Amino acid sequence: MEPKPDPNKLMAWARLLRTQQVLLERVEAELKQAGLPPLRWYDVLLELRRAGTQGLRQFEIGTAVLLNKYNLSRLLDRLEAQDLLQRDLCEEDGRGARVRITPAGRDLLKRMWPVYGGAINAHFARHFNNKELRQLSVLLGRIPGVAR
Amino acid sequence: MEPKPDPNKLMAWARLLRTQQVLLERVEAELKQAGLPPLRWYDVLLELRRAGTQGLRQFEIGTAVLLNKYNLSRLLDRLEAQDLLQRDLCEEDGRGARVRITPAGRDLLKRMWPVYGGAINAHFARHFNNKELRQLSVLLGRIPGVAR
DNA sequence: TCAAAATGGTTGCAATCGCAACTATAGTCC
DNA sequence: GGACTATAGTTGCGATTGCAACCATTTTGA
């Protein structure tokens, strides 16, 4: 791209950045307005629910939700303080913890989904048909680290 | 989308979120590694350079880069402290300031571009051809507030 | 004209983030 | 076994963010 910027590339990049800012801001605002915690809480709890009874190691959560370890550590502190999850010590690795969702955590997920899902629809999904949604998924999935 | 999540919608949404996190993290890391300030600084300075000699009002910068006023106020403090811009008082509105880029600001833009543009390419643009880039732009541009 | 409301911008304070340093356990290699 | 390195997670501290309150000027409207 150097030294002359390529307009196609720049436009796509700029819109991607802007999309992120606009959508996150709107969705977070709806959550907050409904008296619900931020999106990150949902992400973490959702991973934990998926993981089921054996729970997850912290570093597994970290790679799943793309959060570095110090911030994750403190985010889990907050969730644990609200009884949304529990950290048990891990028998197969004396350093680590095993993190499990609690009933209160599952309940919060259930309460957040209507607002979250509604916001995804209202601010994002409703502007596209199924073919376009798949197109977006395929295109973005080509970026390393995006598809899981 | 309620109460059953639509997989097409959810997948596109999830990848959009993830794209944002992955790309921002990588690009910011390259800037930092090169001893350069964060992306936000570039955004603001770029707007100011585009605005030319008459500069911009703070609220104009705010809407351009999607930054709320308190954070913008303090971000401008930092940029001003580095002599990258100057805030003159505004004659047509006694409340406001008029913000202009300085030569040092232009210079920083020039120094940041090779790293920034290179990172856009390396982490994003190189994974797509021109048609796909235009597709992305068009699709994302349908979200209100994204196209400018 | 003048009080009320709106707008532009700043600031105090609490919460969160980023970095670097730290503790503790696991794994590796001789 | 024992040093050496790597990994899991936590924490202190400074920087940044979010929220609410604030000041000053401008606009509105009876």
Side-chain angles (χ1 to χ4, degrees):
Chain A
M1 172 136 47
E2 315 145 34
K4 298 255 177 245
D6 174 332
N8 279 323
K9 296 179 178 179
L10 265 196
M11 170 77 91
W13 171 257
R15 293 205 170 170
L16 204 54
L17 282 196
R18 230 176 139 78
T19 297
Q20 168 257 320
Q21 286 197 63
V22 161
L23 291 184
L24 272 189
E25 181 187 323
R26 290 174 191 168
V27 173
E28 293 280 14
E30 291 209 19
L31 287 172
K32 174 166 314 179
Q33 193 187 349
L36 293 168
L39 251 182
R40 271 287 163 77
W41 290 36
Y42 191 90
D43 289 343
V44 169
L45 291 175
L46 186 59
E47 286 302 319
L48 288 176
R49 190 174 67 185
R50 280 186 189 142
T53 49
Q54 86 267 17
L56 286 176
R57 300 292 304 275
Q58 284 195 199
F59 69 91
E60 295 177 304
I61 305 177
T63 59
V65 306
L66 297 178
L67 201 52
N68 50 44
K69 56 184 185 170
Y70 37 93
N71 282 329
L72 180 60
S73 179
R74 285 180 285 211
L75 174 56
L76 294 183
D77 287 347
R78 283 170 242 149
L79 298 193
E80 193 178 22
Q82 305 283 326
D83 280 315
L84 301 169
L85 54 82
Q86 59 188 89
R87 281 192 268 199
D88 309 322
L89 35 84
C90 173
E91 60 272 3
E92 75 267 26
D93 187 334
R95 296 165 295 186
R98 191 153 278 281
V99 187
R100 286 177 242 266
I101 192 170
T102 63
R106 292 175 189 276
D107 181 62
L108 179 60
L109 277 178
K110 284 203 191 72
R111 283 184 298 125
M112 286 183 81
W113 172 249
V115 177
Y116 185 23
I120 293 174
N121 237 341
H123 299 295
F124 169 67
R126 79 193 212 77
H127 301 296
F128 307 100
N129 62 36
N130 274 331
K131 184 178 167 215
E132 291 163 340
L133 288 170
R134 280 192 300 272
Q135 253 176 26
L136 273 176
S137 294
V138 169
L139 287 176
L140 296 179
R142 292 239 291 277
I143 300 166
V146 169
R148 304 207 275 151
Chain B
M1 171 137 45
E2 313 147 35
K4 298 255 176 245
D6 174 333
N8 279 324
K9 295 180 178 179
L10 265 196
M11 170 77 91
W13 171 258
R15 293 205 171 171
L16 204 55
L17 282 195
R18 231 175 139 78
T19 297
Q20 167 257 321
Q21 287 197 62
V22 161
L23 292 183
L24 272 189
E25 181 188 321
R26 290 175 191 167
V27 172
E28 293 280 14
E30 291 209 19
L31 286 171
K32 175 166 313 179
Q33 195 187 348
L36 292 168
L39 252 182
R40 272 287 162 77
W41 290 36
Y42 191 90
D43 289 344
V44 168
L45 291 175
L46 186 60
E47 286 302 319
L48 288 175
R49 190 174 67 185
R50 280 186 189 143
T53 48
Q54 87 267 16
L56 286 175
R57 299 292 304 277
Q58 283 195 199
F59 70 91
E60 294 177 304
I61 304 177
T63 60
V65 306
L66 297 178
L67 201 53
N68 49 43
K69 57 185 184 170
Y70 39 92
N71 281 328
L72 180 60
S73 179
R74 285 181 286 212
L75 174 55
L76 294 182
D77 286 347
R78 285 170 242 148
L79 299 193
E80 193 178 22
Q82 304 284 326
D83 280 316
L84 301 169
L85 55 80
Q86 59 188 91
R87 280 192 269 200
D88 309 323
L89 36 85
C90 173
E91 60 272 3
E92 73 268 25
D93 187 335
R95 295 166 295 187
R98 191 153 278 282
V99 187
R100 287 177 242 266
I101 193 170
T102 63
R106 294 175 188 275
D107 180 62
L108 179 60
L109 278 178
K110 284 201 191 74
R111 282 184 298 125
M112 285 181 82
W113 172 248
V115 178
Y116 185 22
I120 293 175
N121 238 339
H123 300 295
F124 169 68
R126 79 193 213 77
H127 301 295
F128 306 101
N129 62 35
N130 275 331
K131 184 177 167 216
E132 292 163 339
L133 289 170
R134 279 192 302 271
Q135 254 177 25
L136 273 176
S137 295
V138 169
L139 287 176
L140 297 179
R142 292 238 292 278
I143 300 166
V146 169
R148 304 207 275 153

